């Protein structure tokens, strides 16, 4: 794709969007003469890219502290997002999420008989003091008995993934004298995992691929003496906090008991720039908020629309879980008509959708699929995943969909930077969500007149140059 693409002005196309967003249908001509040209409700990909840049830039001295959960960079990003909601005139709220242990993986290394092997720090691992050296001992899947039998005193335990949690394996090994733990995968490839909580962390613990793990098991089983040197560097911030940031556009006051639509994206990151994961989704919801908050649209909404930027996603969906818990406690959960989650929408060449499973209603997913189809986007398929913020909503029975572009080779690496973002993906995502919101307006139980069928799909840009990187 040529990235420097001049988008032509198709004034009329943008015009037809309007009636669908209003409670009172307006004729195309009255709209074209007035509202839309006045509010210039065109989507600006450049604004989204600027926000991605703003969110993913280096954060002073500690460049890896981009928006890591519980650290300053994340808190600063939350305040920026709130300031943007405020600027747009949304009812905004910064909701503190307590009980967060901040953790930054500063890298780990391992050598086996002086040969280096790739490992990955488990989240919440203890650090090593300088380098840790010891003999390798194999403790199978790391149950209490297996650890007892493996004679781990002063050694580094090699344990296979499976049957019990990583934290339990590490604890069992530690209780039997191990000074370090390596957990290798039970499927091909690297093991990337978490010990769950800082409190559950007792010993330096790293993940290893199945392939490397097997080679080591064979060596130990053959009676070879295997010497391990291991180093784990971390930064922790215990008892920290995070934020969920909410920007609300209330439904028109004439709508009795309006339902709420949530459009969400997490804004925290692991220790990398996080341009795609997930400054892309965050910046896109900010632009959607800007478009929908144009008074001519805002004043006629049939749903409350809540834009929610979630914190603490990367440590286990903690922000969105807390948010849903609060919805349930206040009774508001029953009133949520749907949730759209944007996570990693800037890299890849096909749009994909996810739900946790087939249990909850797929009403919103169906609307996404209809629109993806009508817009003619390349669709990579629908999958099951609970790895993002739609999961707590879906688990509560709220119709939800997780929208993503696939596939991002820079996921959770230092290469997750602005230059990898494809503006076309951003444009397509924002267009898709706008169309979905229009459909929901159209299908709203409150809509008095359903004659106005949606005719418009692709949103065009007015005089906007596509960025050239
Ligand atoms: N954006 C990712 C999830 C993701 C990545 C989904 C690639 C599908 C493809 C998210 O921020 C993340 O990293 N989630 C964690 C799980 C979470 C429960 C801590 C993950 O997938 O490891
Ligand atoms: Zn993410």
């Amino acid at each position: 794709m040529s990235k420097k693409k001049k988008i032509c002005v198709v004034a009329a196309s943008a015009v037809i969007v309007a009636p669908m967003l209003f409670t009172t249908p307006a004729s195309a001509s009255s709209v074209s003469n007035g509202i839309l040209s006045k509010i210039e409700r065109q989507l600006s990909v450049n604004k989204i890219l600027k926000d991605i840049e703003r969110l993913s830039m280096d954060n002073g001295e500690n460049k890896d502290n981009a928006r890591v959960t519980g650290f300053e960079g994340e808190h600063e990003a939350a305040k920026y997002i709130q300031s943007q909601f405020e600027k747009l005139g949304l009812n905004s709220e910064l909701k503190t999420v307590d009980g967060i242990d901040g953790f930054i993986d500063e890298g780990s290394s391992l050598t086996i008989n002086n040969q280096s092997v790739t490992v990955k720090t488990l989240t919440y691992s203890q650090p090593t003091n300088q380098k840790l050296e010891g003999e390798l001992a194999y403790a199978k899947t790391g149950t209490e008995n297996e650890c007892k039998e493996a004679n781990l005193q002063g050694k580094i335990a090699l344990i296979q993934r499976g049957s019990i949690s990583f934290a339990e394996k590490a604890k069992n090994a530690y209780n039997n004298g191990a000074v370090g733990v390596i957990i290798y995968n039970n499927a091909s490839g690297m093991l990337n995992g978490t010990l769950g909580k800082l409190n559950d962390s007792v010993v330096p613990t790293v993940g290893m691929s199945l392939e490397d793990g097997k080679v080591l098991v064979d060596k130990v089983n053959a009676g070879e003496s295997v010497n391990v040197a291991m180093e784990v560097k971390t930064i922790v911030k215990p008892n920290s906090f995070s934020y969920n940031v909410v920007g609300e556009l209330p439904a028109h006051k004439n709508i009795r008991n309006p339902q709420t639509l949530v459009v969400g994206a997490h804004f925290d990151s692991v220790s990398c720039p996080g341009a795609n994961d997930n400054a892309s989704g965050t910046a896109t919801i900010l632009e959607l908020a800007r478009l929908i908050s144009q008074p001519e649209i805002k004043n006629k909404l049939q749903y409350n629309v809540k834009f929610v930027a979630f914190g603490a996603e990367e440590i286990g969906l903690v922000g969105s879980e807390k948010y849903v818990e609060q919805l349930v406690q206040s009774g508001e959960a029953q009133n949520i008509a749907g949730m759209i989650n944007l996570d990693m929408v800037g890299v890849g060449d096909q749009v994909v959708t996810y739900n946790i499973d087939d249990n909850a209603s797929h009403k919103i997913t169906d609307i996404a699929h209809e629109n993806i189809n009508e817009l003619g986007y390349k669709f990579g398929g629908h999958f099951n995943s609970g790895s993002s913020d739609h999961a707590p909503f879906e688990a509560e029975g709220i119709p939800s969909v997780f929208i993503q572009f696939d596939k991002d080779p820079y996921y959770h690496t230092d290469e997750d930077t602005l230059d990898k973002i494809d503006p076309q993906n951003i444009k397509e995502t924002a267009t898709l969500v706008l169309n979905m919101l229009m459909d929901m307006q159209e299908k709203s139980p409150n809509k008095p007149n359903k004659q106005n069928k949606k005719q418009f799909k692709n949103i065009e840009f007015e005089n906007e140059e596509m960025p050239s990187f």
Side-chain angles (χ1 to χ4, degrees):
M1 187 196 78
S2 150
K3 297 208 169 162
K4 188 159 181 152
K5 198 163 108 189
K6 178 115 182 158
I7 302 296
C8 58
V9 183
V10 186
S13 63
V15 162
I16 307 165
V17 180
M20 306 310 133
L21 283 160
F22 296 92
T23 48
T24 317
S27 75
S29 63
S30 77
V31 173
S32 62
N33 290 340
I35 298 165
L36 272 174
S37 51
K38 209 164 76 196
I39 61 174
E40 292 177 355
R41 58 166 307 286
Q42 281 76 19
L43 178 60
S44 168
V45 172
N46 282 333
K47 279 197 168 55
I48 300 178
L49 292 169
K50 280 213 182 90
D51 271 333
I52 297 177
E53 182 175 23
R54 165 71 181 69
L55 290 163
S56 62
M57 69 191 176
D58 287 355
N59 189 35
E61 307 115 51
N62 186 359
K63 84 168 180 56
D64 287 337
N65 183 4
R67 301 181 311 282
V68 181
T69 317
F71 286 82
E72 302 76 10
E74 191 206 30
H75 300 160
E76 192 273 335
K79 286 175 188 153
Y80 172 71
I81 294 161
Q82 191 197 18
S83 75
Q84 296 306 101
F85 284 152
E86 292 268 288
K87 243 193 215 165
L88 295 169
L90 275 67
N91 304 330
S92 82
E93 206 186 336
L94 202 56
K95 292 159 86 87
T96 307
V97 180
D98 288 319
I100 302 284
D101 291 321
F103 180 87
I104 296 179
D105 171 15
E106 289 267 278
S108 47
S109 63
L110 189 101
T111 59
I112 304 283
N113 296 339
N114 292 324
Q115 260 198 321
S116 105
V117 180
T118 307
V119 289
K120 176 89 177 74
T121 311
L122 262 77
T123 302
Y124 295 129
S125 164
Q126 290 295 318
T128 55
N129 290 323
Q130 308 289 323
K131 249 193 187 125
L132 184 70
E133 293 193 26
E135 198 186 325
L136 190 70
Y138 177 47
K140 299 180 180 158
T141 62
T143 61
E144 266 184 75
N145 269 343
E146 286 166 342
C147 285
K148 223 174 262 167
E149 282 162 16
N151 181 24
L152 296 177
Q153 194 60 45
K155 295 185 183 166
I156 291 173
L158 176 65
I159 298 177
Q160 187 170 27
R161 181 180 197 173
S163 22
I164 54 172
S165 72
F166 299 142
E168 284 171 297
K169 291 172 197 281
K171 240 180 227 166
N172 293 339
Y174 177 75
N175 290 341
N176 284 282
V179 292
V181 172
I182 304 166
I183 302 176
Y184 70 99
N185 215 343
N186 55 4
S188 174
M190 196 59 199
L191 181 136
N192 221 330
T194 175
L195 296 170
K197 289 194 215 114
L198 193 57
N199 270 345
D200 286 338
S201 162
V202 286
V203 64
T205 308
V206 293
M208 182 182 270
S209 71
L210 172 64
E211 292 75 9
D212 287 337
K214 271 181 167 168
V215 172
L216 296 185
V217 172
D218 289 347
K219 280 186 196 288
V220 176
N221 285 344
E224 272 181 52
S225 152
V226 183
N227 292 309
V228 183
M230 172 172 166
E231 190 168 30
V232 178
K233 289 189 194 157
T234 70
I235 302 174
V236 290
K237 199 170 174 203
N239 306 316
S240 185
F241 61 92
S242 176
Y243 292 114
N244 289 324
V245 195
V246 186
E248 184 189 14
L249 289 168
H252 186 259
K253 59 182 185 326
N254 287 354
I255 308 285
R256 247 184 273 144
N257 307 321
Q259 288 194 298
T260 300
L261 294 172
V262 174
V263 183
H266 76 87
F267 66 92
D268 64 320
S269 71
V270 295
S271 57
C272 69
N276 193 37
D277 188 11
N278 185 29
S280 66
T282 306
T284 303
I285 69 166
L286 286 177
E287 175 64 357
L288 289 167
R290 187 182 72 84
L291 295 174
I292 312 258
S293 66
Q294 310 291 330
E296 290 80 352
I297 296 174
K298 179 174 77 176
N299 296 341
K300 287 163 184 169
L301 282 174
Q302 297 171 50
Y303 288 97
N304 304 314
V305 182
K306 282 194 178 179
F307 295 95
V308 188
F310 299 106
E313 189 266 0
E314 297 286 2
I315 60 163
L317 317 178
V318 176
S320 51
E321 267 171 10
K322 182 73 184 278
Y323 184 79
V324 172
E325 196 183 296
Q326 289 164 346
L327 288 180
V328 172
Q329 275 164 6
S330 68
E332 220 185 314
Q334 290 175 359
N335 202 36
I336 310 285
M339 193 273 180
I340 301 171
N341 176 37
L342 304 182
D343 189 0
M344 302 174 73
V345 293
V347 179
D349 64 354
Q350 52 187 5
V351 64
V352 292
T353 57
Y354 302 88
N355 282 108
I356 315 179
D357 53 35
D358 293 332
N359 294 333
S361 155
H362 282 194
K363 213 157 66 188
I364 304 294
T365 311
D366 293 343
I367 295 173
H369 290 169
E370 277 161 32
N371 280 283
I372 289 167
N373 190 28
E374 285 177 41
L375 286 160
Y377 293 172
K378 185 173 172 200
F379 181 51
H382 178 75
F383 304 97
N384 286 349
S385 168
S387 312
S388 189
D389 295 311
H390 62 295
F393 288 83
E394 195 177 326
E396 206 41 58
I398 297 168
S400 309
V401 65
F402 165 17
I403 297 170
Q404 186 185 63
F405 266 79
D406 181 72
K407 181 169 193 155
D408 180 0
Y410 314 107
Y411 169 58
H412 284 187
T413 70
D414 285 344
E415 307 299 304
D416 182 5
T417 46
L418 176 67
D419 54 311
K420 313 301 187 315
I421 302 289
D422 187 337
Q424 184 67 23
N425 295 359
I426 296 295
K427 176 196 165 193
E428 291 192 1
T429 304
T431 305
L432 171 62
V433 179
L434 276 174
N435 275 280
M436 288 174 68
L437 292 174
M438 281 188 271
D439 271 3
M440 289 178 226
Q441 287 273 118
E442 179 74 5
K443 289 172 184 160
S444 154
N446 298 313
K447 185 134 184 2
N449 183 340
K450 301 202 180 208
Q451 285 162 9
N452 244 317
K453 280 273 151 285
K454 188 172 68 160
Q455 303 156 50
F456 170 75
K457 291 309 280 188
N458 271 300
I459 289 165
E460 301 294 336
F461 302 92
E462 200 171 63
N463 297 326
E464 192 177 57
E465 285 267 345
M466 288 294 259
S468 59
F469 56 80

